[in-house]
Amino acid sequence: MYRGLWNFITKHTDNSHAVSVFLPLMIIGWTIAGVAAGLLVCAFTSTDISSALADLICAGGYAGLILGLFGGCLFLYRIDL
């Protein structure tokens, strides 16, 4: 997934700007995925979303930070820029 997004970004942007586009997209994508996963858990467990909203936002933020930012940085560290 990381490689596919990186190849798509480098195909459509200049290499000097690719990192500036890649990391925010990774953070936003993983944040949305974390919130969506939390919403699915709330739907399956019949939990009221308004009472679990703070937990959903927190889980989405941690997913974006850990998997998006740190995972993206580790991916960029491993490839040759």
Side-chain angles (χ1 to χ4, degrees):
M1 179 182 76
Y2 290 88
R3 173 76 58 191
L5 182 61
W6 177 254
N7 290 338
F8 180 77
I9 289 171
T10 55
K11 187 188 326 177
H12 295 290
T13 61
D14 188 17
N15 284 340
S16 63
H17 296 98
V19 174
S20 301
V21 175
F22 178 74
L23 287 178
L25 283 178
M26 292 302 297
I27 293 169
I28 292 169
W30 279 108
T31 301
I32 291 171
V35 171
L39 287 172
L40 285 174
V41 169
C42 285
F44 287 133
T45 60
S46 301
T47 304
D48 187 28
I49 293 174
S50 62
S51 66
L53 189 60
D55 296 333
L56 290 173
I57 300 299
C58 185
Y62 277 120
L65 182 68
I66 294 169
L67 298 173
L69 180 63
F70 296 144
C73 288
L74 288 174
F75 171 78
L76 292 174
Y77 179 74
R78 290 183 57 185
I79 65 171
D80 292 328
L81 293 178

